[in-house]
Amino acid sequence: MIEHYARTVKGSGPGLLLAHGGGGGIEPNFGPLMADLARTHTVVAPDLPGTGGTPRAAGPLDLDSVADSLVAAAVEEGVEEFTVLGYSLGTAIAVRAAARHPGRVTGLVLTAGFARIDNRTRLNVDVWRSLLDGDRDTLARFNLSVAFGAPALDALSPGELEEAVRSAAGSVPAGTPEHVDLVARADTRADLPGIAVPTLVVTTALDRLVSPELSRALAAGIPGAESVEIDSGHLIAAEAPREWGRAVRGFLDRRVPVRG
């Protein structure tokens, strides 16, 4: 079932649809890239259920429905064809969107993602899920300990670290429980061989939340996929925005066809 997702629309030019991560949002996941992306593309950035302006889902999220609703958000804005830039959970949504809407998706950029989580990531997700109804300070400390790469985390002063904890504890979207549940259930492995559009996979090589091996498996599973590795933890928008932006920009400028 297609739901209406609130969205931000910026820029003009070829379509670029954003799919943010579980427990994240457009600004925290893509903020540093937005101005440059909107310089050359019409960027459609929907809020997943329980984030931004989209109400929380009444029950569990279904990957097909989320992918369909994301695509519908772009079409409602008059963007008929588009590249999908997915981050974390958004990579599974992006792959499913490409599989279900091959006439609309013209390219994929998949960052810090997975087709199906491995056991190490599943243990992280289990802890994340179990802490959601408890002490948000403890949840924030756990998430930061695994989401930041070690160099970025160790570069914080004690005061900066505590401020990061306070900020993370105070910014958990209402829809996070449903997002985390979808992370645990999502499986796009069967979709990968049929992906026939230009694809870039960005591996966050220092990631301790979602194993880098999962991004490498994405690249191996999609025919002809390009790949690049960036020395960053899971929070690439905070840790390595310039490197990430260069990789995305290079792909968009070099490979993705503009139809029509």
Side-chain angles (χ1 to χ4, degrees), residues 36-172:
D36 181 66
L37 296 175
R39 181 174 56 83
T40 57
H41 287 71
T42 299
V43 180
V44 181
D47 301 322
L48 295 183
T51 67
T54 302
R56 184 175 178 180
L61 297 176
D62 173 74
L63 188 61
D64 287 354
S65 296
V66 172
D68 291 350
S69 298
L70 207 78
V71 168
V75 175
E76 288 169 8
E77 297 298 331
V79 181
E80 299 288 340
E81 296 179 334
F82 37 81
T83 297
V84 186
L85 169 56
Y87 167 76
S88 193
L89 172 62
T91 65
I93 298 168
V95 167
R96 184 56 53 84
R100 289 175 64 82
H101 302 275
R104 297 198 182 280
V105 176
T106 61
L108 294 173
V109 182
L110 310 174
T111 301
F114 58 89
R116 181 175 182 270
I117 60 173
D118 59 10
N119 282 341
R120 187 179 78 172
T121 304
R122 189 171 301 280
L123 290 172
N124 287 335
V125 168
D126 288 345
V127 175
W128 186 9
R129 182 162 40 192
S130 70
L131 291 172
L132 277 170
D133 293 328
D135 182 353
R136 289 295 171 89
D137 181 86
T138 301
L139 172 63
R141 291 180 189 278
F142 167 74
N143 280 343
L144 292 174
S145 73
V146 294
F148 264 116
L153 191 61
D154 290 339
L156 298 177
S157 70
E160 290 170 334
L161 181 60
E162 290 307 309
E163 177 56 35
V165 170
R166 284 192 292 272
S167 177
S171 58
V172 179

Side-chain angles (χ1 to χ4, degrees), residues 218-244:
L218 271 178
I222 297 174
E226 300 179 41
S227 63
V228 62
E229 300 211 1
I230 295 176
D231 285 337
S232 170
H234 198 68
L235 301 178
I236 190 170
E239 296 181 54
R242 291 182 181 179
E243 294 86 345
W244 187 26

